Amino acid sequence: MAAPFVLDSNFFIQAHRMHYPMDVVPSFWLKIKELAKNGIIVSIDKVKDEIHLNVILLNITISLNKTRCNLDFFGTKQQPDFS
């Protein structure tokens, strides 16, 4: 068997952001999972940690901005309730 391809954080981040969002192209991610299971591609723990950290930071940022600025996810100002 040939040596596996090693994937870095950029592979996962760019694939998701630019070309293959998980909710739009799940078959791409299922194929990635299959290739990893078969030992054709691998990554390292630091990549996993970086991706998880970025997801956590993104969720915190969204929560803080929504609370602090009264903005919804799409950046439209919610109308204040004056009743």
Side-chain angles (χ1 to χ4, degrees):
M1 184 167 143
F5 293 94
V6 180
L7 303 179
D8 65 358
S9 302
N10 191 51
F11 169 82
F12 296 101
I13 294 167
Q14 292 300 317
H16 176 68
R17 286 184 182 169
M18 301 188 72
H19 305 290
Y20 308 107
M22 289 181 190
D23 58 337
V24 178
V25 193
S27 59
F28 173 81
W29 298 99
L30 290 172
K31 186 64 174 181
I32 295 301
K33 185 176 178 178
E34 177 188 324
L35 293 171
K37 183 179 176 182
N38 294 332
I40 297 170
I41 59 173
V42 296
S43 197
I44 60 173
D45 289 343
K46 287 188 179 206
V47 169
K48 177 181 157 188
D49 295 344
E50 181 180 348
I51 291 171
H52 283 269
L53 177 62
N54 283 322
V55 168
I56 291 167
L57 291 175
L58 176 62
N59 288 333
I60 290 170
T61 301
I62 289 169
S63 295
L64 287 174
N65 284 330
K66 186 173 183 179
T67 302
R68 190 179 313 136
C69 303
N70 197 25
L71 297 175
D72 67 16
F73 183 76
F74 299 102
T76 57
K77 187 84 167 144
Q78 295 175 351
Q79 296 300 318
D81 182 14
F82 294 115
S83 51

